[in-house]
Amino acid sequence: MPVISFANAKGGAGKTTAALLLATEVAERGKSVTIFDADPQKWISTWADLPGRPGNIQVISQIIPASITEQIMDAAAQTDYVIIDLEGTENLIVANALSVSDLVVIPIQGSSMDARGGAKILTLIKKLEKIVRHDIKHCVVLTRTNAAVTTRALKAVQEFLAVNGIDVLLTPIVERAAYRDLFEFGGGLRAQNPKTVTNLGKAKENAVMFSAEVLERAQVTPRRRWYDVFKRAS
Ligand SMILES: Nc1ncnc2c1ncn2[C@@H]1O[C@H](COP(=O)(O)OP(=O)(O)OP(=O)(O)O)[C@@H](O)[C@H]1O
Ligand SMILES: [Mg+2]
């Protein structure tokens, strides 16, 4: 039932990768997932056509800007989790998706450009909160970090987030070949071959910890429960 969006106005921040990691982890836990592929590059739709897609993940590629909120709410009433992979910009689809999200995850790489793209989403969330008249829960996940080194740029981003009191996941998503391989070979991390994929065990561990932190934050608000009661009754 929770709706989780991945947004950053800067392209290439790691939204699609993080969205797919979460979706495959949730599916691994036996839950049903609907992914809205609102990324014009359609990487997740392409992934869904590869062999190995878990049967409890469905991907919606056809998104109608004017009715995306209804599409999302319908999916939320029917599946355990809705995950939305958004375009790296600010547009009507992004605003509408954020306004009905239980949690917005903002992936940020260790660069000031990514941090500025993330800040644009934070500003948009503030505006939307006034319109929808409730808080929109959000957090940042640092992406493509180096397992061994913290760069100066990453430290600067961490300081910026701390100064602004932004909730940052304790688990960053590390740069791993295994995460790129998903889009090449299909399926989830468990379907990958440990003999050919380097550090697959560490990649799995990282994805599990990242997903656990996101799911903990993505609890459904009473507002949504009322919506579902209304939907079932109508
Ligand atoms: N943790 C990671 N490890 C390895 N490669 C990664 C990781 N995260 C992202 N990448 C790579 O970085 C590139 C951009 O990532 P991704 O497509 O997930 O970003 P995005 O924010 O969805 O981009 P866009 O704004 O264009 O939709 C891709 O080539 C992806 O494979
Ligand atoms: Mg993307």
Side-chain angles (χ1 to χ4, degrees):
M1 215 194 301
V3 176
I4 305 167
S5 290
F6 285 82
N8 186 323
K10 157 88 170 48
K15 299 175 287 293
T16 301
T17 304
L20 187 62
L21 286 180
L22 178 67
T24 49
E25 278 306 314
V26 167
E28 189 62 36
R29 293 176 177 211
K31 304 285 186 191
S32 58
V33 187
T34 301
I35 308 177
F36 281 86
D37 186 0
D39 180 342
Q41 293 180 80
K42 299 287 169 207
W43 291 120
I44 295 188
S45 305
T46 307
W47 167 86
D49 291 337
L50 294 170
R53 172 172 62 88
N56 48 352
I57 297 185
Q58 62 158 331
V59 178
I60 296 181
S61 314
Q62 295 292 329
I63 291 163
I64 307 143
S67 59
I68 185 174
T69 51
E70 285 80 6
Q71 280 186 293
I72 294 169
M73 299 310 276
D74 283 348
Q78 283 161 29
T79 37
D80 295 322
Y81 288 89
V82 174
I83 293 173
I84 309 171
D85 180 26
L86 290 164
E87 187 177 353
T89 185
E90 286 174 283
N91 59 23
L92 185 61
I93 290 183
V94 172
N96 283 346
L98 299 189
S99 68
V100 292
S101 293
D102 294 294
L103 179 69
V104 179
V105 183
I106 305 166
I108 291 184
Q109 288 184 47
S111 83
S112 64
M113 280 152 87
D114 266 46
R116 265 182 262 152
K120 279 190 184 168
I121 296 298
L122 293 166
T123 307
L124 177 59
I125 287 174
K126 282 208 182 84
K127 280 188 201 158
L128 292 169
E129 283 176 333
K130 284 188 190 136
I131 297 167
V132 297
R133 288 195 265 168
H134 61 77
D135 290 347
I136 300 171
K137 233 189 282 178
H138 54 275
C139 62
V140 161
V141 60
L142 296 168
T143 58
R144 299 190 77 174
T145 59
N146 185 311
V149 208
T150 304
T151 61
R152 275 175 59 210
L154 176 58
K155 278 190 195 138
V157 168
Q158 284 170 321
E159 269 169 36
F160 166 81
L161 296 169
V163 165
N164 289 284
I166 294 157
D167 178 23
V168 182
L169 298 190
L170 291 174
T171 313
I173 300 178
V174 175
E175 170 90 20
R176 296 275 179 215
Y179 301 154
R180 284 192 293 271
D181 284 357
L182 294 182
F183 293 91
E184 196 84 33
F185 302 108
L189 288 171
R190 277 163 192 79
Q192 310 302 313
N193 183 351
K195 290 194 183 122
T196 52
V197 182
T198 40
N199 282 322
L200 183 58
K202 284 186 178 154
K204 279 185 201 160
E205 202 179 297
N206 188 188
V208 167
M209 288 175 70
F210 153 69
S211 303
E213 279 200 69
V214 171
L215 297 179
E216 194 187 302
R217 284 165 171 79
Q219 279 158 29
V220 172
T221 58
R223 165 182 60 88
R224 175 65 45 74
R225 286 198 199 102
W226 279 111
Y227 179 88
D228 288 331
V229 170
F230 168 74
K231 283 284 288 183
R232 275 197 295 271
S234 59

